Amino acid sequence: MKYRVRPTLRLFAALLAALLLTGSFTPASAASLPSGIEKGSIGGEIEQFVADHADTTAGMAVAVFDRDGMIYENSFGYADVENGVAVDADTVFEWGSTTKLTVWVSVMQLWEQGKIDLNADIRTYLPEGFLTNLRFDEPVTMLHLMNHNAGFQEVLTDLFLPEGSEIPDLASALALHKPEQIYAPGTVTAYSNWGAALAGYIVERVSGEAYSDYVHEHIFSPLGIEHTAIRPDLSDNPWVQEQRKELRCYTADVRPMEPDFYYISLYPAGMCTGTISDFSAFAQALLTEDCPLFDSPDTWHALFTPTASFGDTGVPRTSHGFWTLPYGVNVVGHGGNTAGCSSYLLLDLEDGVGSVVMTNQSGESVYNTELMELIYGSIRGADYDVPPQGVYRSARTILSGPLKLYSVGYTIFTSDDLEEFYSLRSENGLTVVSYPYSDMLQIPAGTLVLELGLLLLWVVGTLFSLLYLLSWPVGWVFRKITHRDKTITRRIRLRRAAALLHLAVLGLLAASVFRLLTYAPGGSYRWMPLYLVIGIAMAILLVLMLFSHEEDRNKKETALTAVTLIFLLAAIGNIIYWQLYMFWIF
């Protein structure tokens, strides 16, 4: 840590006396923030920033502080835009994924007590046979969970539960969807809500307390936090439970969201809900080595010791679950998003400055990213002349199971991406692009050609099927008008059946996307076996058409049969490759 000491005899004597009395000392506060803005001026700067973005602001609360106390705290906009309910000190917002910091603090408290070994196999702390989703021999450790490199794929279903749903206990919520381990531990950074919630469950197991009770007793209570809840239904704090009903939520461009409140089943990963004062109290406690959450300053120093770096840049990436964000100075912290809110907690440990921001807008970035540059300076871009070459996908994806199509989000980097921080490294001849929170993995050329080819044939085959079916009634009307007859052969019937099956798959895919976007519970995907049924039906049609003894009557009929066979084969290939047949996962 860098200490700033003014070279005056009086100040030196005071600092020396404090050091002798306490055994440690806290750096003197500078007059300006890391960005260069005077601390006394930051309020005016923030207020002007808010005024400049009034058109895209629903509600927001912000606090800036240093080790000595609060520098600036204020709220803006509306908790309920339509009814003119202003954000105030009693407005509660959802922390989102910033809640995970309570997990990592809890783990470090138990580490301090010698109850958790960060390098031990986590199965040591879990019930026998609990982890049935491990594919690699290397053990998963708590450090892997903290660094988000335990290798688990994304979980999309049953993370958000509609209000009023039955809430499973944490163990049951984790067991409901155990994500496949698709990377060897320690090799790839892929942000994981499930992994963080698993760490929270380990806190339960080791402490003997429900995770929510543990947080209240060992984090909230020591800090005097009285207006924050963490259970999925917020029942651990009735005041917060009532206040949350007064909050309406919006998109980043201030469109109302409905519904705008969900239970988070993996609640240690994102359910904290409370006031800006409580949020800042938690953050400010972490700013000093005399943190009231730990028995020894050594634990605070251990917490903020880097545990992963950005490739070979030497820039820390993670410190026991706290991400490093490269603004004008390196800051540590975490951002959060729920179905209706967003938040950010950042700490500049070098200069002793911190900030928190909370909004009732999902996916908001103006305040959660850009505003922070007023405090910490501009985000540093990549130190490369050209963007990474090739096609990439986020490591935070799904590569196993019937939601594998989620991995189709391909990325091609441009020169504009150089404005964001990243680092490069090579793995098995392919490039890995590392950002905070996740890696981007280059897709092998063969895999890319296969996937794009399958998808293209699928799209074209579906369009062909749609046009073919539309031609059926049109042809019938034309023949009625012209008094022409047409013999409906067996091959024609098989082609029509194939076209209908193509459109049935399209309908199933549309239903899947809709249910994912509306956070439908996993139990509602009972129609998923239809993918397997349709795939089998397509295979039967393929065989019948191939081995039919009936001859097509002309070249047009022959071409239609050939095209139908190709598209049937492509559809079956897509169902197999994207693992849509694996309905039993739901």
Side-chain angles (χ1 to χ4, degrees), residues 12-34:
F12 178 79
L15 287 172
L16 181 59
L19 179 61
L20 292 174
L21 287 172
T22 66
S24 63
F25 64 90
T26 299
S29 296
S32 61
L33 297 168

PDB file of all heavy atoms in Angstrom, residues 12-34:
ATOM      1  N   PHE A  12       4.358  14.299  10.956  1.00  0.00           N
ATOM      2  CA  PHE A  12       5.181  13.119  11.125  1.00  0.00           C
ATOM      3  C   PHE A  12       5.101  12.611  12.560  1.00  0.00           C
ATOM      4  O   PHE A  12       4.966  11.411  12.812  1.00  0.00           O
ATOM      5  CB  PHE A  12       6.635  13.435  10.764  1.00  0.00           C
ATOM      6  CG  PHE A  12       7.562  12.261  10.969  1.00  0.00           C
ATOM      7  CD1 PHE A  12       7.626  11.237  10.034  1.00  0.00           C
ATOM      8  CD2 PHE A  12       8.344  12.163  12.117  1.00  0.00           C
ATOM      9  CE1 PHE A  12       8.461  10.159  10.231  1.00  0.00           C
ATOM     10  CE2 PHE A  12       9.180  11.088  12.303  1.00  0.00           C
ATOM     11  CZ  PHE A  12       9.243  10.083  11.365  1.00  0.00           C
ATOM     12  N   ALA A  13       5.152  13.552  13.523  1.00  0.00           N
ATOM     13  CA  ALA A  13       5.080  13.155  14.925  1.00  0.00           C
ATOM     14  C   ALA A  13       3.732  12.531  15.254  1.00  0.00           C
ATOM     15  O   ALA A  13       3.650  11.541  15.990  1.00  0.00           O
ATOM     16  CB  ALA A  13       5.321  14.379  15.820  1.00  0.00           C
ATOM     17  N   ALA A  14       2.658  13.097  14.680  1.00  0.00           N
ATOM     18  CA  ALA A  14       1.324  12.559  14.939  1.00  0.00           C
ATOM     19  C   ALA A  14       1.174  11.158  14.376  1.00  0.00           C
ATOM     20  O   ALA A  14       0.630  10.265  15.033  1.00  0.00           O
ATOM     21  CB  ALA A  14       0.272  13.486  14.348  1.00  0.00           C
ATOM     22  N   LEU A  15       1.687  10.979  13.163  1.00  0.00           N
ATOM     23  CA  LEU A  15       1.602   9.653  12.544  1.00  0.00           C
ATOM     24  C   LEU A  15       2.435   8.632  13.316  1.00  0.00           C
ATOM     25  O   LEU A  15       2.027   7.490  13.502  1.00  0.00           O
ATOM     26  CB  LEU A  15       2.065   9.719  11.095  1.00  0.00           C
ATOM     27  CG  LEU A  15       1.107  10.395  10.112  1.00  0.00           C
ATOM     28  CD1 LEU A  15       1.792  10.565   8.769  1.00  0.00           C
ATOM     29  CD2 LEU A  15      -0.162   9.596   9.957  1.00  0.00           C
ATOM     30  N   LEU A  16       3.603   9.035  13.771  1.00  0.00           N
ATOM     31  CA  LEU A  16       4.471   8.132  14.513  1.00  0.00           C
ATOM     32  C   LEU A  16       3.819   7.723  15.834  1.00  0.00           C
ATOM     33  O   LEU A  16       3.849   6.555  16.225  1.00  0.00           O
ATOM     34  CB  LEU A  16       5.819   8.801  14.783  1.00  0.00           C
ATOM     35  CG  LEU A  16       6.852   7.948  15.542  1.00  0.00           C
ATOM     36  CD1 LEU A  16       7.143   6.669  14.765  1.00  0.00           C
ATOM     37  CD2 LEU A  16       8.131   8.740  15.786  1.00  0.00           C
ATOM     38  N   ALA A  17       3.164   8.711  16.486  1.00  0.00           N
ATOM     39  CA  ALA A  17       2.487   8.405  17.742  1.00  0.00           C
ATOM     40  C   ALA A  17       1.354   7.410  17.504  1.00  0.00           C
ATOM     41  O   ALA A  17       1.161   6.467  18.271  1.00  0.00           O
ATOM     42  CB  ALA A  17       1.935   9.686  18.370  1.00  0.00           C
ATOM     43  N   ALA A  18       0.581   7.625  16.413  1.00  0.00           N
ATOM     44  CA  ALA A  18      -0.518   6.718  16.101  1.00  0.00           C
ATOM     45  C   ALA A  18      -0.001   5.319  15.810  1.00  0.00           C
ATOM     46  O   ALA A  18      -0.597   4.323  16.209  1.00  0.00           O
ATOM     47  CB  ALA A  18      -1.312   7.253  14.916  1.00  0.00           C
ATOM     48  N   LEU A  19       1.130   5.249  15.119  1.00  0.00           N
ATOM     49  CA  LEU A  19       1.708   3.950  14.777  1.00  0.00           C
ATOM     50  C   LEU A  19       2.140   3.207  16.029  1.00  0.00           C
ATOM     51  O   LEU A  19       1.908   2.013  16.177  1.00  0.00           O
ATOM     52  CB  LEU A  19       2.893   4.147  13.832  1.00  0.00           C
ATOM     53  CG  LEU A  19       3.641   2.882  13.398  1.00  0.00           C
ATOM     54  CD1 LEU A  19       2.683   1.975  12.647  1.00  0.00           C
ATOM     55  CD2 LEU A  19       4.831   3.241  12.539  1.00  0.00           C
ATOM     56  N   LEU A  20       2.763   3.928  16.975  1.00  0.00           N
ATOM     57  CA  LEU A  20       3.232   3.298  18.201  1.00  0.00           C
ATOM     58  C   LEU A  20       2.075   2.833  19.079  1.00  0.00           C
ATOM     59  O   LEU A  20       2.153   1.817  19.758  1.00  0.00           O
ATOM     60  CB  LEU A  20       4.113   4.276  18.984  1.00  0.00           C
ATOM     61  CG  LEU A  20       5.460   4.613  18.320  1.00  0.00           C
ATOM     62  CD1 LEU A  20       6.174   5.700  19.113  1.00  0.00           C
ATOM     63  CD2 LEU A  20       6.347   3.371  18.229  1.00  0.00           C
ATOM     64  N   LEU A  21       0.953   3.588  19.037  1.00  0.00           N
ATOM     65  CA  LEU A  21      -0.184   3.261  19.891  1.00  0.00           C
ATOM     66  C   LEU A  21      -1.009   2.108  19.338  1.00  0.00           C
ATOM     67  O   LEU A  21      -1.532   1.294  20.088  1.00  0.00           O
ATOM     68  CB  LEU A  21      -1.083   4.496  20.077  1.00  0.00           C
ATOM     69  CG  LEU A  21      -0.512   5.593  20.990  1.00  0.00           C
ATOM     70  CD1 LEU A  21      -1.399   6.828  20.923  1.00  0.00           C
ATOM     71  CD2 LEU A  21      -0.428   5.108  22.438  1.00  0.00           C
ATOM     72  N   THR A  22      -1.136   2.066  18.020  1.00  0.00           N
ATOM     73  CA  THR A  22      -2.051   1.088  17.417  1.00  0.00           C
ATOM     74  C   THR A  22      -1.357  -0.047  16.698  1.00  0.00           C
ATOM     75  O   THR A  22      -1.977  -1.053  16.381  1.00  0.00           O
ATOM     76  CB  THR A  22      -2.981   1.783  16.412  1.00  0.00           C
ATOM     77  OG1 THR A  22      -2.202   2.271  15.313  1.00  0.00           O
ATOM     78  CG2 THR A  22      -3.712   2.949  17.054  1.00  0.00           C
ATOM     79  N   GLY A  23      -0.098   0.131  16.390  1.00  0.00           N
ATOM     80  CA  GLY A  23       0.615  -0.904  15.659  1.00  0.00           C
ATOM     81  C   GLY A  23       0.412  -0.817  14.167  1.00  0.00           C
ATOM     82  O   GLY A  23       0.941  -1.604  13.410  1.00  0.00           O
ATOM     83  N   SER A  24      -0.440   0.101  13.685  1.00  0.00           N
ATOM     84  CA  SER A  24      -0.673   0.313  12.262  1.00  0.00           C
ATOM     85  C   SER A  24      -1.198   1.713  12.095  1.00  0.00           C
ATOM     86  O   SER A  24      -1.499   2.407  13.063  1.00  0.00           O
ATOM     87  CB  SER A  24      -1.691  -0.687  11.706  1.00  0.00           C
ATOM     88  OG  SER A  24      -2.934  -0.502  12.342  1.00  0.00           O
ATOM     89  N   PHE A  25      -1.303   2.177  10.855  1.00  0.00           N
ATOM     90  CA  PHE A  25      -1.860   3.505  10.634  1.00  0.00           C
ATOM     91  C   PHE A  25      -2.565   3.556   9.309  1.00  0.00           C
ATOM     92  O   PHE A  25      -2.349   2.734   8.420  1.00  0.00           O
ATOM     93  CB  PHE A  25      -0.783   4.592  10.729  1.00  0.00           C
ATOM     94  CG  PHE A  25       0.281   4.507   9.661  1.00  0.00           C
ATOM     95  CD1 PHE A  25       0.134   5.172   8.458  1.00  0.00           C
ATOM     96  CD2 PHE A  25       1.439   3.769   9.885  1.00  0.00           C
ATOM     97  CE1 PHE A  25       1.121   5.108   7.497  1.00  0.00           C
ATOM     98  CE2 PHE A  25       2.418   3.705   8.913  1.00  0.00           C
ATOM     99  CZ  PHE A  25       2.267   4.375   7.722  1.00  0.00           C
ATOM    100  N   THR A  26      -3.462   4.512   9.181  1.00  0.00           N
ATOM    101  CA  THR A  26      -4.234   4.725   7.971  1.00  0.00           C
ATOM    102  C   THR A  26      -3.694   5.935   7.251  1.00  0.00           C
ATOM    103  O   THR A  26      -3.400   6.954   7.881  1.00  0.00           O
ATOM    104  CB  THR A  26      -5.717   4.960   8.320  1.00  0.00           C
ATOM    105  OG1 THR A  26      -6.212   3.799   8.990  1.00  0.00           O
ATOM    106  CG2 THR A  26      -6.530   5.202   7.071  1.00  0.00           C
ATOM    107  N   PRO A  27      -3.533   5.898   5.939  1.00  0.00           N
ATOM    108  CA  PRO A  27      -2.980   7.019   5.202  1.00  0.00           C
ATOM    109  C   PRO A  27      -3.830   8.271   5.371  1.00  0.00           C
ATOM    110  O   PRO A  27      -5.046   8.219   5.517  1.00  0.00           O
ATOM    111  CB  PRO A  27      -3.028   6.543   3.747  1.00  0.00           C
ATOM    112  CG  PRO A  27      -3.175   5.060   3.832  1.00  0.00           C
ATOM    113  CD  PRO A  27      -3.889   4.778   5.092  1.00  0.00           C
ATOM    114  N   ALA A  28      -3.161   9.401   5.320  1.00  0.00           N
ATOM    115  CA  ALA A  28      -3.887  10.666   5.366  1.00  0.00           C
ATOM    116  C   ALA A  28      -4.706  10.832   4.094  1.00  0.00           C
ATOM    117  O   ALA A  28      -4.321  10.378   3.028  1.00  0.00           O
ATOM    118  CB  ALA A  28      -2.902  11.822   5.502  1.00  0.00           C
ATOM    119  N   SER A  29      -5.866  11.474   4.199  1.00  0.00           N
ATOM    120  CA  SER A  29      -6.734  11.651   3.046  1.00  0.00           C
ATOM    121  C   SER A  29      -6.208  12.756   2.157  1.00  0.00           C
ATOM    122  O   SER A  29      -5.815  13.826   2.632  1.00  0.00           O
ATOM    123  CB  SER A  29      -8.150  11.995   3.511  1.00  0.00           C
ATOM    124  OG  SER A  29      -8.695  10.922   4.231  1.00  0.00           O
ATOM    125  N   ALA A  30      -6.185  12.490   0.869  1.00  0.00           N
ATOM    126  CA  ALA A  30      -5.803  13.521  -0.089  1.00  0.00           C
ATOM    127  C   ALA A  30      -6.978  14.461  -0.311  1.00  0.00           C
ATOM    128  O   ALA A  30      -8.125  14.130  -0.029  1.00  0.00           O
ATOM    129  CB  ALA A  30      -5.383  12.865  -1.398  1.00  0.00           C
ATOM    130  N   ALA A  31      -6.666  15.677  -0.826  1.00  0.00           N
ATOM    131  CA  ALA A  31      -7.714  16.667  -1.043  1.00  0.00           C
ATOM    132  C   ALA A  31      -8.507  16.385  -2.302  1.00  0.00           C
ATOM    133  O   ALA A  31      -9.608  16.902  -2.467  1.00  0.00           O
ATOM    134  CB  ALA A  31      -7.108  18.063  -1.098  1.00  0.00           C
ATOM    135  N   SER A  32      -7.960  15.579  -3.211  1.00  0.00           N
ATOM    136  CA  SER A  32      -8.634  15.317  -4.479  1.00  0.00           C
ATOM    137  C   SER A  32      -8.847  13.823  -4.673  1.00  0.00           C
ATOM    138  O   SER A  32      -8.205  12.989  -4.039  1.00  0.00           O
ATOM    139  CB  SER A  32      -7.814  15.876  -5.638  1.00  0.00           C
ATOM    140  OG  SER A  32      -6.541  15.254  -5.697  1.00  0.00           O
ATOM    141  N   LEU A  33      -9.772  13.513  -5.560  1.00  0.00           N
ATOM    142  CA  LEU A  33     -10.070  12.130  -5.916  1.00  0.00           C
ATOM    143  C   LEU A  33      -9.053  11.630  -6.932  1.00  0.00           C
ATOM    144  O   LEU A  33      -8.326  12.435  -7.540  1.00  0.00           O
ATOM    145  CB  LEU A  33     -11.478  12.049  -6.480  1.00  0.00           C
ATOM    146  CG  LEU A  33     -12.597  12.444  -5.505  1.00  0.00           C
ATOM    147  CD1 LEU A  33     -13.916  12.612  -6.248  1.00  0.00           C
ATOM    148  CD2 LEU A  33     -12.737  11.393  -4.403  1.00  0.00           C
ATOM    149  N   PRO A  34      -8.988  10.320  -7.161  1.00  0.00           N
ATOM    150  CA  PRO A  34      -8.031   9.794  -8.145  1.00  0.00           C
ATOM    151  C   PRO A  34      -8.173  10.415  -9.528  1.00  0.00           C
ATOM    152  O   PRO A  34      -7.193  10.505 -10.278  1.00  0.00           O
ATOM    153  CB  PRO A  34      -8.364   8.296  -8.171  1.00  0.00           C
ATOM    154  CG  PRO A  34      -8.923   8.013  -6.823  1.00  0.00           C
ATOM    155  CD  PRO A  34      -9.682   9.240  -6.439  1.00  0.00           C
TER     156      PRO A  34
END
